[in-house]
């Protein structure tokens, strides 16, 4: 098993995001379309953070459909307003969940996920078109530090919509 990345409370976590930021920004700017940008973003984040699952769900009608991801196979359809992803979409804001077992309606695609962060991706009009979902196999895997670095990445992705 891969050793865990610096924890969300470890100052190295900030260094990790700062180090990956230019690469992610270049990949997003140079991608032929949004889907390609999401795919490479998921790959870089997943490898750098050493997490259980990293990926995107795209808003289609009243559901989120599985998009580019890294990690084990996952649920391919999540309803609006349900689970962490559907709630983040409904509320249009980032959700940090330290313990998924304590989140009402959490959708367990994998029994190994213990904590997660979900960040909306908005198009230039401000509509949430997708969410970034990152799952950790340890409790309390994410904090406001992760939100602070992941939100600008998702804004950059949304600008490609
Ligand atoms: N746990 C998420 C579902 C997505 S997977 O974990 C990849 C949720 O509650 O929305």
């Amino acid at each position: 098993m891969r050793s865990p990345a610096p924890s969300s409370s470890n100052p190295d976590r900030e260094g990790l995001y700062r180090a990956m930021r230019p690469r992610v920004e270049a990949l997003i700017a140079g991608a032929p379309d949004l889907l390609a940008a999401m795919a490479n973003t998921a790959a870089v984040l997943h490898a750098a953070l050493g997490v259980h699952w990293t990926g995107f769900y795209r808003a289609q009608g009243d559901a989120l459909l599985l998009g580019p991801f890294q990690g084990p196979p996952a649920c391919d359809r999540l309803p609006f307003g349900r689970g962490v992803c559907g709630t983040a979409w409904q509320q249009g804001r980032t959700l940090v969940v330290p313990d998924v077992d304590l989140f009402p309606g959490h959708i367990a695609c994998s029994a190994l996920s213990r904590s997660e962060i979900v960040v909306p991706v908005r198009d230039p009009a401000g509509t949430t078109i997708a969410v970034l979902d990152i799952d950790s196999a340890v409790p309390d895997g994410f904090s406001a530090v992760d939100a602070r670095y992941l939100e600008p990445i998702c804004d950059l992705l949304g600008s490609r919509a």
Side-chain angles (χ1 to χ4, degrees):
M1 189 167 169
R2 170 176 18 193
S3 59
S7 78
S8 56
S9 56
N10 185 325
D12 284 355
R13 187 83 162 202
E14 296 227 31
L16 188 149
Y17 277 112
R18 284 200 208 100
M20 81 167 88
R21 188 164 53 192
R23 181 144 180 254
V24 172
E25 288 174 353
L27 283 168
I28 294 173
D33 68 8
L34 178 60
L35 201 64
M38 286 177 165
N40 271 334
T41 299
V44 173
L45 289 174
H46 192 70
L49 297 173
V51 287
H52 177 61
W53 196 89
T54 306
F56 292 90
Y57 283 92
R58 297 160 304 128
Q60 301 276 318
D62 62 355
L64 291 167
L65 302 187
L66 184 62
F69 72 95
Q70 298 274 316
C75 310
D76 55 18
R77 187 182 185 281
L78 303 170
F80 179 79
R82 288 208 36 230
V84 183
C85 292
T87 303
W89 179 23
Q90 183 179 43
Q91 297 183 357
R93 67 186 179 99
T94 298
L95 293 181
V96 176
V97 178
D99 182 345
V100 295
D101 292 336
L102 300 180
F103 188 93
H106 168 254
I107 298 168
C109 299
S110 163
L112 292 178
S113 289
R114 299 296 313 280
S115 58
E116 65 181 269
I117 183 169
V118 178
V119 183
V121 177
R122 296 185 191 84
D123 69 11
T127 302
T128 297
I129 54 165
V131 298
L132 166 64
D133 176 9
I134 308 180
D135 296 357
S136 171
V138 297
D140 211 13
F142 306 98
S143 75
V145 170
D146 298 275
R148 190 160 78 240
Y149 285 92
L150 293 172
E151 284 171 352
I153 291 173
C154 287
D155 288 347
L156 199 55
L157 284 166
S159 73
R160 295 293 318 262

